[in-house]
Amino acid sequence: MEKQKRKNNMAWHRIKTKFLIGVLILLSPHTLPGTYAEPPIENDCLAYAYTSSEDHYFLLKSNSSGFGTNITIEHNCNNINVIVDGNFSISGGNSSIIFNLQPGLHNLTIQTPFENISIYNFQVYPNRLDWVFDFEQFQLRNVDFNEYITLNVALAKANWASISSILIVFVLVTYVYWNLINSYVDRNFCEEVVK
């Protein structure tokens, strides 16, 4: 009987020990002192720049290029300054800024209240719409363009090409079917020769 009591006490002691260890493990993160850290600095200022040419947009970054001479800077900062090639160019409030930049290689710096964004060696190419404008200007000046082929000749060549391609396809398809039919007839039918 005493042996039985001793076994029960040992079992009860094991259960209590495991329970206490489990409680200590669960409560240990709450009892350890937490580390102190400064709250993150609220940087609510986001700024980026791009150029556009028709339906294409080009983000500005160092050692790259883009089409379109109108540079758009979207931002939500209180104040922003733009420096182009070391010279102050434009300043603006809490909205987008659009300014013109001549074609060529440029260095830009966008100064926000929290950081300076530097863009080096950005190549600006003219907008495609400007090239169309230049072409129309040449036409208005009656500049003689060498027309290599007239529209009527191009249409006639396109018509001849379509007719000749139809004929070539017809001949090839007829030839292939003719050979298929002849091989089928030769394999499946025999001719009777009468003397």
Side-chain angles (χ1 to χ4, degrees):
M1 180 96 152
E2 199 160 306
K3 243 183 178 177
Q4 185 67 19
K5 250 183 170 178
R6 198 180 233 179
K7 276 187 178 180
N8 285 343
N9 281 342
M10 288 178 75
W12 182 249
H13 182 66
R14 278 190 213 141
I15 291 172
K16 269 201 298 185
T17 306
K18 287 182 181 179
F19 178 74
L20 285 174
I21 290 174
V23 168
L24 287 175
I25 289 174
L26 289 175
L27 292 179
S28 65
H30 299 293
T31 59
L32 295 175
T35 58
Y36 177 74
E38 292 288 329
I41 297 173
E42 294 279 333
N43 186 357
D44 289 339
C45 182
L46 173 68
Y48 61 92
Y50 64 90
T51 64
S52 62
S53 176
E54 291 188 3
D55 294 336
H56 302 283
Y57 298 92
F58 305 91
L59 282 174
L60 270 66
K61 70 172 200 167
S62 293
N63 301 318
S64 65
S65 59
F67 288 89
T69 55
N70 286 335
I71 307 294
T72 304
I73 299 176
E74 298 285 342
H75 66 94
N76 60 352
C77 307
N78 293 335
N79 188 18
I80 195 168
N81 296 325
V82 180
I83 298 172
V84 178
D85 295 328
N87 299 321
F88 177 79
S89 179
I90 194 165
S91 179
N94 193 7
S95 64
S96 63
I97 298 174
I98 299 174
F99 63 96
N100 194 346
L101 196 59
Q102 294 300 317
L105 193 64
H106 297 284
N107 298 323
L108 284 88
T109 302
I110 302 169
Q111 295 177 339
T112 67
F114 297 103
E115 66 178 333
N116 290 341
I117 302 167
S118 296
I119 301 166
Y120 300 106
N121 299 327
F122 182 74
Q123 179 72 39
V124 177
Y125 293 109
N127 191 350
R128 183 179 181 278
L129 295 176
D130 293 340
W131 297 342
V132 172
F133 176 75
D134 291 341
F135 179 75
E136 290 171 354
Q137 288 297 322
F138 282 124
Q139 282 186 336
L140 290 176
R141 291 185 203 146
N142 292 327
V143 176
D144 188 24
F145 287 103
N146 293 334
E147 194 171 358
Y148 294 110
I149 187 169
T150 62
L151 183 60
N152 291 335
V153 173
L155 290 175
K157 286 187 177 189
N159 289 340
W160 278 110
S162 63
I163 291 170
S164 61
S165 65
I166 289 171
L167 288 175
I168 290 170
V169 168
F170 176 76
V171 168
L172 289 175
V173 168
T174 305
Y175 178 74
V176 168
Y177 276 125
W178 184 267
N179 283 335
L180 286 174
I181 292 170
N182 275 341
S183 66
Y184 179 76
V185 167
D186 288 344
R187 274 187 274 146
N188 296 324
F189 297 105
C190 55
E191 297 180 17
E192 184 177 328
V193 179
V194 178
K195 256 193 177 183

